[in-house]
Amino acid sequence: MKYYIIAGEASGDLHGSNLMKALLKEDPKADIRFWGGDLMQTVGGSIVTHYKERSFMGFAEVIMNLKTILGFIKSCKKDIESFKPDVIVFIDNSGFNLRIAKWAKEEGYKTHYYISPQVWASRASRVKKIKRYVDAMYTILPFEKEFYDKHGYEVNFVGHPLIDAVSYRELVDEMAFRDSYKLSNKPIIALLPGSRKQEIKKMLDVMLSVVDDFTDYQFVIAGAPSQDFSFYQSIIQSRDIAFVDNKTYDLLSISFAALVTSGTATLETALFKVPQVVCYKASNISYQIAKRIVTLKFISLVNLIMDREVVTELIQGDLNTKRLKKELEAILNPEKREQLFLDYYELEKKLGGKGASENTAKLIYKAIS
């Protein structure tokens, strides 16, 4: 069978690579062509475009780069027509993927979606488009199935792929890791400022502003695979801060606490049982637009899944040196840490068992065979 997979960002690349491995187990002769990243390339198949070339954040940034995005959409359609896949599998990245899904469905292609767009967070009217243009939806968050049921659309809850990604990773030799990156023996506070340039610029400078107040800890920046060290260096400047490139899971596995930009990383940090403070700051235009259309009480996946505040969220104006210092001090407190650990274990139970990629691959293959 011929599979065309479209993923965006580092998380899409991770989940896309695991889905590809699972598809190849179900269908050893699978011919896979994809939009993704390095991890998907490692599995095999043929890459069309790397996600680094089309990483735009926020409403304002998308508008500024609209011509480029429309060019990608046009070339994607042409490439699909040339490849003639048996199924197109979309992974998250709704702004791009739903446009392709509409066209693909009208052209008669089978359309499957792995990792639902966050229609439960804003613009719920997009459910109508999904019902029209997506043949099968595979959701990874427990509350999504109930949400879609209310809109008369049957979906498959397959479990969360991060459970597998975290569970099956190789164990890290902490001493060797510290030696490799010239880290001290102090407890580590990981800084996860995001993956896109716009968010890294906004978040990292504030995160670094508290470093001098916690001299008993080693602060380490988790570099995203989509960015070069030279970009981080322009923000770090002369500060003596450790940097680890594309080793976020290894870093989290030995971290004592973390400052994390809102997104998938908040859930990853929780699964590694690392106490965290969630940070988020967008451009003023993007924030004002989002505030008017987002209907959620929380922004972090941890709090959304638990439906209560488990981790502190510092959003926009609240993300400042004074507040960040206070909240970081809180998660270094033994009593607060104990409660977080208990909440994290409850969170993991809610996410279901292992095998999200395998469950999805089986359902896709069965549907097109």
Side-chain angles (χ1 to χ4, degrees):
M1 295 291 183
K2 298 172 74 173
Y3 304 82
Y4 199 98
I5 302 176
I6 308 175
E9 304 181 350
S11 61
D13 183 35
L14 170 64
H15 302 320
S17 67
N18 289 328
L19 177 62
M20 287 168 65
K21 292 174 187 175
L23 284 170
L24 287 166
K25 287 182 181 178
E26 290 295 316
D27 183 6
K29 294 182 179 180
D31 183 3
I32 303 175
R33 190 166 174 81
F34 61 90
W35 292 50
D38 297 342
L39 295 175
M40 294 173 77
Q41 279 186 284
T42 301
V43 178
S46 304
I47 188 169
V48 183
T49 302
H50 200 289
Y51 68 80
K52 290 181 183 179
E53 298 178 36
R54 49 194 176 90
S55 181
F56 305 108
M57 175 189 173
F59 301 101
E61 290 80 10
V62 168
I63 291 171
M64 290 170 60
N65 292 280
L66 190 57
K67 185 176 180 180
T68 301
I69 295 169
L70 292 174
F72 280 129
I73 290 173
K74 184 177 180 181
S75 64
C76 182
K77 291 176 181 178
K78 285 186 176 180
D79 196 62
I80 291 171
E81 287 179 326
S82 176
F83 186 61
K84 296 180 175 59
D86 293 294
V87 63
I88 302 172
V89 182
F90 304 98
I91 299 180
D92 200 0
N93 198 28
S94 64
F96 187 89
N97 279 338
L98 285 179
R99 286 175 172 80
I100 300 297
K102 177 181 184 297
W103 168 84
K105 183 64 177 177
E106 291 170 348
E107 293 296 314
Y109 293 101
K110 291 182 179 178
T111 54
H112 289 221
Y113 217 119
Y114 178 43
I115 305 178
S116 169
Q118 295 181 354
V119 290
W120 36 267
S122 65
R123 293 174 289 164
S125 60
R126 288 179 294 170
V127 173
K128 295 178 181 177
K129 293 181 180 179
I130 291 172
K131 289 172 69 174
R132 283 199 299 268
Y133 307 131
V134 177
D135 295 323
M137 173 67 74
Y138 308 103
T139 66
I140 63 172
L141 297 172
F143 59 78
E144 290 177 321
K145 183 169 176 55
E146 182 181 349
F147 170 84
Y148 277 114
D149 284 344
K150 290 179 180 177
H151 287 83
Y153 184 54
E154 185 175 349
V155 301
N156 304 280
F157 173 58
V158 294
H160 204 292
L162 283 181
I163 297 290
D164 295 336
V166 171
S167 299
Y168 297 144
R169 64 181 176 83
E170 293 184 9
L171 294 178
V172 177
D173 182 328
E174 182 172 349
M175 292 307 298
F177 185 85
R178 286 179 180 269
D179 289 343
S180 178
Y181 291 98
K182 297 180 173 57
L183 305 180
S184 69
N185 290 323
K186 297 177 181 178
I188 290 173
I189 296 177
L191 304 181
L192 279 63
S195 60
R196 295 159 167 167
K197 286 186 176 180
Q198 296 97 324
E199 63 185 357
I200 294 171
K201 285 179 180 178
K202 287 181 171 63
M203 250 61 74
L204 187 54
D205 200 47
V206 183
M207 291 178 176
L208 292 174
S209 71
V210 302
V211 171
D212 292 340
D213 294 306
F214 297 88
T215 55
D216 291 336
Y217 297 86
Q218 168 85 67
F219 285 78
V220 184
I221 297 171
S226 56
Q227 307 298 339
D228 296 326
F229 174 67
S230 58
F231 171 69
Y232 291 92
Q233 189 63 50
S234 67
I235 304 171
I236 297 170
Q237 296 181 351
S238 60
R239 297 182 181 99
D240 184 21
I241 302 293
F243 179 85
V244 172
D245 185 34
N246 198 19
K247 293 286 184 181
T248 301
Y249 280 14
D250 290 352
L251 177 61
L252 285 174
S253 71
I254 63 170
S255 291
F256 190 75
L259 306 180
V260 188
T261 295
S262 180
T264 305
T266 63
L267 187 54
E268 292 171 317
T269 303
L271 291 175
F272 275 99
K273 310 300 185 293
V274 179
Q276 64 182 296
V277 179
V278 177
C279 307
Y280 184 76
K281 182 176 287 189
S283 68
N284 188 55
I285 294 175
S286 294
Y287 178 69
Q288 291 302 324
I289 294 173
K291 197 165 66 168
R292 286 160 174 77
I293 66 173
V294 174
T295 58
L296 302 174
K297 292 186 293 184
F298 307 109
I299 63 168
S300 71
L301 284 171
V302 175
N303 291 344
L304 286 169
I305 293 167
M306 295 293 284
D307 196 27
R308 58 185 172 87
E309 185 179 281
V310 170
V311 294
T312 298
E313 301 176 349
L314 298 182
I315 306 171
Q316 211 67 6
D318 287 335
L319 181 58
N320 56 63
T321 303
K322 183 178 180 181
R323 280 296 309 276
L324 190 58
K325 178 184 175 183
K326 177 184 176 183
E327 298 304 335
L328 178 53
E329 287 174 340
I331 63 171
L332 299 177
N333 179 282
E335 290 184 10
K336 175 67 173 177
R337 294 174 65 80
E338 183 178 351
Q339 183 57 54
L340 277 171
F341 293 145
L342 293 173
D343 288 336
Y344 282 167
Y345 283 113
E346 184 181 343
L347 169 75
E348 191 167 349
K349 287 181 182 179
K350 285 178 175 287
L351 289 174
K354 300 176 183 178
S357 300
E358 288 78 6
N359 294 338
T360 304
K362 284 183 171 68
L363 290 167
I364 291 173
Y365 183 64
K366 181 179 178 181
I368 66 175
S369 297

